[in-house]
Amino acid sequence: MHAQLEFKRFIEDTAKRNKSPIVLALDLTREDRDELFKRTLKVITSVSRSVCAVKFNHQMILPLGLYDRVTTLVNEVHERKIPVIMDAKINDIGHTNEFIASQYFSAGFDAVTANPFAGFKDGLEPVFRMAKAQQKGVLVLVHMSHSGASEGYGQIVLDEKGQRISQFEVFAQKALRWGADGAIVGATFPETIARVRSILGTDVPIYSPGVGVQGGSLSRALAAGAKYAIVGRSIYESDDPAKSAENLRRSTVASD
Ligand code: O7M
Protein backbone atom coordinates (compact mmCIF):
# COMPACT_ATOMS: atom_id res chain seq x y z
CA MET A 1 0.00 0.00 0.00
CA HIS A 2 1.11 3.58 -0.63
CA ALA A 3 1.53 5.99 2.26
CA GLN A 4 -1.45 8.34 2.53
CA LEU A 5 -0.56 11.46 0.58
CA GLU A 6 -2.88 14.30 -0.37
CA PHE A 7 -4.30 13.43 -3.80
CA LYS A 8 -3.06 16.55 -5.60
CA ARG A 9 0.49 15.94 -4.34
CA PHE A 10 0.26 12.22 -5.09
CA ILE A 11 -0.58 12.74 -8.78
CA GLU A 12 1.94 15.58 -9.15
CA ASP A 13 4.72 13.41 -7.70
CA THR A 14 3.78 10.51 -9.98
CA ALA A 15 3.64 12.78 -13.03
CA LYS A 16 7.13 14.03 -12.22
CA ARG A 17 8.53 10.57 -11.52
CA ASN A 18 7.12 9.01 -14.70
CA LYS A 19 7.51 12.26 -16.69
CA SER A 20 3.95 11.82 -17.86
CA PRO A 21 0.72 13.86 -17.85
CA ILE A 22 -1.28 10.84 -19.08
CA VAL A 23 -4.16 9.49 -16.98
CA LEU A 24 -5.05 6.02 -18.21
CA ALA A 25 -8.84 5.60 -18.56
CA LEU A 26 -9.98 2.03 -18.06
CA ASP A 27 -13.33 1.50 -19.78
CA LEU A 28 -12.77 -1.90 -21.31
CA THR A 29 -15.81 -3.82 -22.48
CA ARG A 30 -15.83 -7.63 -22.43
CA GLU A 31 -18.88 -9.83 -21.96
CA ASP A 32 -16.81 -12.42 -20.09
CA ARG A 33 -16.02 -11.02 -16.62
CA ASP A 34 -12.89 -13.15 -16.12
CA GLU A 35 -11.60 -11.98 -19.46
CA LEU A 36 -12.43 -8.35 -18.55
CA PHE A 37 -10.48 -8.62 -15.30
CA LYS A 38 -7.46 -10.31 -16.89
CA ARG A 39 -7.30 -7.87 -19.78
CA THR A 40 -7.65 -4.84 -17.49
CA LEU A 41 -4.87 -6.13 -15.22
CA LYS A 42 -2.67 -6.71 -18.25
CA VAL A 43 -3.18 -3.14 -19.45
CA ILE A 44 -2.37 -1.77 -15.98
CA THR A 45 0.84 -3.77 -15.68
CA SER A 46 2.02 -2.97 -19.20
CA VAL A 47 1.48 0.81 -19.19
CA SER A 48 2.10 1.76 -15.56
CA ARG A 49 5.49 3.37 -16.21
CA SER A 50 4.08 5.74 -18.81
CA VAL A 51 1.15 7.22 -16.87
CA CYS A 52 0.61 9.46 -13.83
CA ALA A 53 -2.77 8.03 -12.72
CA VAL A 54 -5.37 5.42 -13.56
CA LYS A 55 -9.08 6.21 -13.83
CA PHE A 56 -11.83 3.62 -13.53
CA ASN A 57 -15.18 4.29 -15.10
CA HIS A 58 -18.43 3.39 -13.34
CA GLN A 59 -19.04 0.83 -16.08
CA MET A 60 -16.15 -1.27 -14.72
CA ILE A 61 -17.63 -1.42 -11.23
CA LEU A 62 -20.80 -3.07 -12.54
CA PRO A 63 -19.28 -6.30 -13.90
CA LEU A 64 -16.24 -6.51 -11.58
CA GLY A 65 -17.73 -5.49 -8.21
CA LEU A 66 -16.31 -2.70 -6.05
CA TYR A 67 -15.12 -4.75 -3.06
CA ASP A 68 -14.30 -7.70 -5.22
CA ARG A 69 -12.08 -7.43 -8.27
CA VAL A 70 -12.01 -3.64 -8.50
CA THR A 71 -10.28 -3.45 -5.10
CA THR A 72 -7.74 -5.99 -6.34
CA LEU A 73 -7.06 -3.80 -9.37
CA VAL A 74 -6.86 -0.63 -7.24
CA ASN A 75 -4.25 -2.37 -5.05
CA GLU A 76 -2.30 -3.42 -8.13
CA VAL A 77 -2.15 0.23 -9.25
CA HIS A 78 -1.17 1.42 -5.76
CA GLU A 79 1.66 -1.11 -5.59
CA ARG A 80 3.14 0.85 -8.49
CA LYS A 81 2.77 4.09 -6.45
CA ILE A 82 0.18 5.48 -8.84
CA PRO A 83 -3.06 7.20 -7.75
CA VAL A 84 -6.45 5.84 -8.75
CA ILE A 85 -9.43 8.01 -9.69
CA MET A 86 -13.02 6.79 -9.58
CA ASP A 87 -14.98 8.38 -12.39
CA ALA A 88 -18.33 8.26 -10.60
CA LYS A 89 -19.56 11.65 -11.89
CA ILE A 90 -21.42 12.01 -8.58
CA ASN A 91 -24.66 13.81 -9.29
CA ASP A 92 -27.34 13.23 -6.66
CA ILE A 93 -28.53 14.70 -3.35
CA GLY A 94 -26.02 15.12 -0.53
CA HIS A 95 -27.28 12.14 1.47
CA THR A 96 -26.58 9.63 -1.31
CA ASN A 97 -23.55 11.47 -2.69
CA GLU A 98 -21.84 11.20 0.68
CA PHE A 99 -22.35 7.45 0.88
CA ILE A 100 -21.28 6.92 -2.74
CA ALA A 101 -18.02 8.83 -2.12
CA SER A 102 -17.40 7.02 1.19
CA GLN A 103 -17.66 3.63 -0.54
CA TYR A 104 -15.18 4.56 -3.23
CA PHE A 105 -12.75 6.01 -0.70
CA SER A 106 -13.09 2.88 1.48
CA ALA A 107 -12.29 0.74 -1.54
CA GLY A 108 -9.02 2.66 -1.88
CA PHE A 109 -9.75 5.26 -4.56
CA ASP A 110 -7.77 8.48 -4.15
CA ALA A 111 -10.25 10.79 -5.90
CA VAL A 112 -13.76 10.87 -7.32
CA THR A 113 -15.30 12.90 -10.13
CA ALA A 114 -18.46 14.93 -9.55
CA ASN A 115 -21.01 16.83 -11.60
CA PRO A 116 -21.43 20.48 -10.53
CA PHE A 117 -24.98 20.54 -11.89
CA ALA A 118 -25.83 18.92 -8.52
CA GLY A 119 -24.83 22.18 -6.76
CA PHE A 120 -22.99 22.57 -3.46
CA LYS A 121 -25.47 22.89 -0.59
CA ASP A 122 -27.06 19.50 0.12
CA GLY A 123 -25.41 18.33 -3.11
CA LEU A 124 -21.63 18.08 -3.40
CA GLU A 125 -20.70 19.79 -0.12
CA PRO A 126 -20.60 16.53 1.90
CA VAL A 127 -18.38 14.96 -0.76
CA PHE A 128 -15.90 17.85 -0.58
CA ARG A 129 -15.97 17.79 3.22
CA MET A 130 -15.25 14.06 3.39
CA ALA A 131 -12.57 14.24 0.71
CA LYS A 132 -10.70 17.03 2.52
CA ALA A 133 -10.85 15.12 5.82
CA GLN A 134 -9.37 12.01 4.17
CA GLN A 135 -6.83 13.77 1.90
CA LYS A 136 -8.76 12.53 -1.12
CA GLY A 137 -9.52 14.50 -4.27
CA VAL A 138 -12.67 15.77 -6.01
CA LEU A 139 -12.51 16.52 -9.73
CA VAL A 140 -15.37 18.57 -11.14
CA LEU A 141 -16.77 18.41 -14.67
CA VAL A 142 -16.49 21.88 -16.20
CA HIS A 143 -17.07 21.12 -19.89
CA MET A 144 -17.39 17.57 -21.23
CA SER A 145 -15.81 16.34 -24.46
CA HIS A 146 -18.68 15.00 -26.60
CA SER A 147 -20.52 17.22 -29.10
CA GLY A 148 -23.74 17.25 -27.08
CA ALA A 149 -21.80 18.66 -24.12
CA SER A 150 -22.38 22.17 -25.50
CA GLU A 151 -26.12 21.78 -24.86
CA GLY A 152 -25.59 21.89 -21.10
CA TYR A 153 -22.05 23.02 -20.32
CA GLY A 154 -22.01 25.52 -23.19
CA GLN A 155 -25.44 27.08 -22.65
CA ILE A 156 -25.68 30.78 -21.86
CA VAL A 157 -26.92 31.52 -18.36
CA LEU A 158 -27.12 34.56 -16.09
CA ASP A 159 -24.53 34.87 -13.35
CA GLU A 160 -25.22 36.21 -9.84
CA LYS A 161 -25.02 39.79 -11.17
CA GLY A 162 -27.40 39.06 -14.05
CA GLN A 163 -24.61 39.05 -16.67
CA ARG A 164 -24.77 36.60 -19.58
CA ILE A 165 -22.10 33.95 -19.15
CA SER A 166 -21.46 30.38 -20.31
CA GLN A 167 -22.45 27.58 -17.96
CA PHE A 168 -18.89 26.19 -18.05
CA GLU A 169 -17.51 29.56 -16.89
CA VAL A 170 -19.83 29.40 -13.89
CA PHE A 171 -18.62 25.85 -13.19
CA ALA A 172 -14.98 26.94 -13.46
CA GLN A 173 -15.62 29.70 -10.91
CA LYS A 174 -17.31 27.15 -8.65
CA ALA A 175 -14.45 24.67 -9.00
CA LEU A 176 -12.16 27.41 -7.70
CA ARG A 177 -14.53 28.45 -4.90
CA TRP A 178 -15.26 24.90 -3.76
CA GLY A 179 -11.56 24.01 -3.63
CA ALA A 180 -11.76 21.32 -6.30
CA ASP A 181 -8.61 19.28 -6.93
CA GLY A 182 -9.17 19.33 -10.66
CA ALA A 183 -11.45 20.56 -13.44
CA ILE A 184 -12.43 18.35 -16.38
CA VAL A 185 -12.53 20.07 -19.79
CA GLY A 186 -12.75 18.14 -23.08
CA ALA A 187 -9.71 18.16 -25.39
CA THR A 188 -12.24 18.55 -28.21
CA PHE A 189 -12.84 22.15 -27.01
CA PRO A 190 -9.33 23.67 -26.83
CA GLU A 191 -10.60 27.27 -26.75
CA THR A 192 -12.72 26.31 -23.76
CA ILE A 193 -9.64 24.87 -22.04
CA ALA A 194 -7.86 28.20 -22.55
CA ARG A 195 -10.84 30.15 -21.19
CA VAL A 196 -11.17 27.86 -18.15
CA ARG A 197 -7.45 28.12 -17.53
CA SER A 198 -7.75 31.92 -17.49
CA ILE A 199 -10.38 31.59 -14.74
CA LEU A 200 -8.61 28.91 -12.71
CA GLY A 201 -5.00 30.01 -13.00
CA THR A 202 -2.73 27.26 -11.70
CA ASP A 203 -4.63 26.51 -8.47
CA VAL A 204 -6.97 23.95 -10.01
CA PRO A 205 -5.34 21.71 -12.64
CA ILE A 206 -7.26 20.91 -15.80
CA TYR A 207 -7.76 17.27 -16.77
CA SER A 208 -8.60 16.84 -20.42
CA PRO A 209 -10.35 13.75 -21.89
CA GLY A 210 -11.29 13.22 -25.52
CA VAL A 211 -7.81 12.79 -27.00
CA GLY A 212 -7.49 10.45 -30.00
CA VAL A 213 -10.66 8.47 -30.72
CA GLN A 214 -12.95 11.42 -29.84
CA GLY A 215 -10.91 13.71 -32.10
CA GLY A 216 -9.10 15.90 -29.55
CA SER A 217 -5.39 16.66 -29.87
CA LEU A 218 -3.10 15.97 -26.93
CA SER A 219 -0.61 18.70 -27.82
CA ARG A 220 -3.34 21.32 -28.36
CA ALA A 221 -5.03 20.44 -25.08
CA LEU A 222 -1.77 20.79 -23.16
CA ALA A 223 -0.81 23.96 -25.03
CA ALA A 224 -4.23 25.45 -24.18
CA GLY A 225 -3.59 24.90 -20.47
CA ALA A 226 -4.50 21.33 -19.53
CA LYS A 227 -2.10 19.78 -17.01
CA TYR A 228 -3.24 16.17 -17.45
CA ALA A 229 -4.79 14.27 -20.37
CA ILE A 230 -7.22 11.38 -19.81
CA VAL A 231 -6.74 8.72 -22.51
CA GLY A 232 -8.54 5.40 -22.91
CA ARG A 233 -9.14 3.60 -26.19
CA SER A 234 -6.05 4.97 -27.98
CA ILE A 235 -4.07 3.01 -25.40
CA TYR A 236 -6.02 -0.07 -24.29
CA GLU A 237 -7.51 -0.88 -27.69
CA SER A 238 -4.24 -0.56 -29.59
CA ASP A 239 -2.27 -3.66 -30.59
CA ASP A 240 0.47 -2.67 -28.19
CA PRO A 241 -0.86 -0.64 -25.22
CA ALA A 242 2.59 -0.26 -23.64
CA LYS A 243 4.01 1.23 -26.83
CA SER A 244 0.99 3.48 -27.44
CA ALA A 245 1.11 4.87 -23.90
CA GLU A 246 4.85 5.39 -24.12
CA ASN A 247 4.57 7.14 -27.50
CA LEU A 248 1.91 9.48 -26.11
CA ARG A 249 4.06 10.21 -23.06
CA ARG A 250 7.13 10.86 -25.20
CA SER A 251 5.20 13.24 -27.46
CA THR A 252 4.43 15.39 -24.41
CA VAL A 253 8.05 15.45 -23.27
CA ALA A 254 9.23 16.45 -26.75
CA SER A 255 6.78 19.35 -26.88
CA ASP A 256 7.88 20.67 -23.46
O1 O7M B 1 -9.94 8.12 -24.70
P1 O7M B 1 -11.36 7.62 -24.74
O2 O7M B 1 -12.25 8.42 -25.61
O3 O7M B 1 -11.44 6.15 -25.01
O4 O7M B 1 -11.92 7.74 -23.23
C1 O7M B 1 -12.13 8.96 -22.61
C2 O7M B 1 -12.33 8.77 -21.12
O5 O7M B 1 -12.57 10.04 -20.55
C3 O7M B 1 -13.52 7.90 -20.74
O6 O7M B 1 -13.17 7.23 -19.55
C4 O7M B 1 -14.63 8.89 -20.44
O7 O7M B 1 -15.52 8.42 -19.46
C5 O7M B 1 -13.84 10.08 -19.90
N1 O7M B 1 -14.45 11.39 -20.17
C6 O7M B 1 -14.77 11.79 -21.45
O8 O7M B 1 -14.51 11.08 -22.42
N2 O7M B 1 -15.37 12.99 -21.64
C7 O7M B 1 -15.66 13.84 -20.63
O9 O7M B 1 -16.18 14.91 -20.88
C8 O7M B 1 -15.33 13.47 -19.32
C9 O7M B 1 -14.66 12.28 -19.11
C10 O7M B 1 -14.16 12.06 -17.80
O10 O7M B 1 -13.14 11.47 -17.53
O11 O7M B 1 -14.84 12.65 -16.81
C11 O7M B 1 -14.30 12.61 -15.52
Side-chain angles (χ1 to χ4, degrees):
M1 266 305 281
H2 69 291
Q4 183 70 43
L5 193 65
E6 186 211 356
F7 169 72
K8 230 161 117 181
R9 266 282 310 283
F10 191 6
I11 188 167
E12 260 172 34
D13 287 359
T14 313
K16 266 188 209 136
R17 190 182 71 239
N18 285 354
K19 296 189 179 61
S20 174
I22 310 289
V23 176
L24 168 68
L26 289 172
D27 316 314
L28 285 79
T29 48
R30 296 283 189 286
E31 283 306 319
D32 184 311
R33 293 200 287 270
D34 290 336
E35 170 63 18
L36 179 64
F37 175 76
K38 276 190 212 142
R39 181 71 197 157
T40 305
L41 183 56
K42 196 161 176 219
V43 175
I44 291 170
T45 52
S46 60
V47 311
S48 63
R49 292 175 67 176
S50 305
V51 302
C52 64
V54 172
K55 179 183 82 74
F56 282 77
N57 201 297
H58 183 64
Q59 74 181 57
M60 300 287 289
I61 310 299
L62 301 177
L64 298 181
L66 179 60
Y67 291 112
D68 192 1
R69 293 174 175 189
V70 170
T71 308
T72 307
L73 293 170
V74 167
N75 291 340
E76 285 286 342
V77 179
H78 277 163
E79 274 176 22
R80 291 160 177 81
K81 297 192 169 32
I82 294 172
V84 196
I85 301 164
M86 176 58 219
D87 190 2
K89 299 190 175 76
I90 295 176
N91 190 28
D92 201 2
I93 59 167
H95 169 66
T96 56
N97 288 342
E98 186 170 10
F99 196 67
I100 291 167
S102 77
Q103 294 309 302
Y104 288 129
F105 293 155
S106 297
F109 283 96
D110 302 290
V112 291
T113 62
N115 192 336
F117 274 108
F120 200 61
K121 197 167 183 310
D122 299 329
L124 297 181
E125 188 177 18
V127 176
F128 275 93
R129 203 184 321 113
M130 187 190 306
K132 294 287 167 234
Q134 297 185 28
Q135 312 232 68
K136 306 281 186 178
V138 183
L139 313 180
V140 171
L141 295 171
V142 168
H143 194 303
M144 291 187 72
S145 58
H146 58 297
S147 349
S150 316
E151 295 171 26
Y153 298 91
Q155 70 189 336
I156 300 297
V157 295
L158 298 180
D159 69 8
E160 285 149 8
K161 293 178 198 145
Q163 303 289 322
R164 287 163 62 82
I165 182 171
S166 293
Q167 183 67 71
F168 75 83
E169 294 175 298
V170 175
F171 286 158
Q173 291 166 355
K174 288 186 176 179
L176 203 54
R177 205 181 320 138
W178 297 349
D181 302 280
I184 315 283
V185 186
T188 41
F189 294 89
E191 295 83 8
T192 304
I193 296 177
R195 175 68 191 124
V196 172
R197 175 63 192 257
S198 74
I199 296 170
L200 296 177
T202 51
D203 283 354
V204 182
I206 295 174
Y207 289 68
S208 193
V211 164
V213 177
Q214 294 184 51
S217 146
L218 175 59
S219 56
R220 280 192 73 191
L222 296 178
K227 181 163 180 174
Y228 304 108
I230 299 173
V231 188
R233 287 165 290 181
S234 306
I235 296 176
Y236 65 73
E237 275 188 0
S238 77
D239 293 337
D240 187 342
K243 198 167 166 199
S244 303
E246 182 56 13
N247 285 345
L248 276 172
R249 186 197 71 76
R250 281 221 190 107
S251 74
T252 66
V253 177
S255 66
D256 260 353

